[in-house]
Amino acid sequence: MAASVEDVWALLTDTGKWPAWGPSITGVEPAGTGSAPVSGGITLGSRGKVRTVLGVSLPYVVTAFEPGHYWSWSVASIPATGHRIIPRDGGCVVTFTVPWWAPAYLPVCALALRRIERLAAR
């Protein structure tokens, strides 16, 4: 992507931005915020609920966190995606890790990457 690591990292870690790039997420409620969705950064152990496109809210927890480089999470106690940024001249490479048993989620991740690239270019 022709976007800075900082801009992409901000998109990936601001819970208020997740619905803008995550095709399966329509809302986020970080722990301790009540029922109103708010923006917030994440760190290791961050918790909350994500509202899915199916209208179901599921608990999440951030299970790994390397500031500026990588984070992963579990949703409903099931390991979910990881999000990695690799700096490159003129931008960065963004990758998602997906559990081996979830290959059907790869097209969703591909769409998310296109959305992240578009949002970071603004």
Side-chain angles (χ1 to χ4, degrees):
M1 293 183 189
S4 72
V5 168
E6 295 79 16
D7 288 344
V8 174
W9 185 250
L11 285 170
L12 291 177
T13 58
D14 182 342
T15 58
K17 303 281 191 213
W18 291 357
W21 59 263
S24 60
I25 297 173
T26 61
V28 181
E29 183 184 319
T33 62
S35 61
V38 298
S39 293
I42 59 167
T43 190
L44 183 62
S46 292
R47 295 177 179 275
K49 291 182 181 179
V50 290
R51 190 173 49 257
T52 69
V53 292
L54 301 175
V56 177
S57 289
L58 300 170
Y60 73 83
V61 61
V62 174
T63 55
F65 191 84
E66 299 170 28
H69 300 288
Y70 179 79
W71 71 271
S72 64
W73 63 340
S74 290
V75 178
S77 298
I78 299 170
T81 50
H83 312 75
R84 183 174 308 281
I85 301 175
I86 304 164
R88 294 285 190 253
D89 287 340
C92 61
V93 174
V94 181
T95 63
F96 290 140
T97 58
V98 177
W100 66 268
W101 47 264
Y105 200 65
L106 291 173
V108 174
C109 291
L111 177 56
L113 288 170
R114 288 192 299 274
R115 289 179 175 182
I116 291 165
E117 184 171 29
R118 187 188 74 239
L119 290 166
R122 289 183 182 173

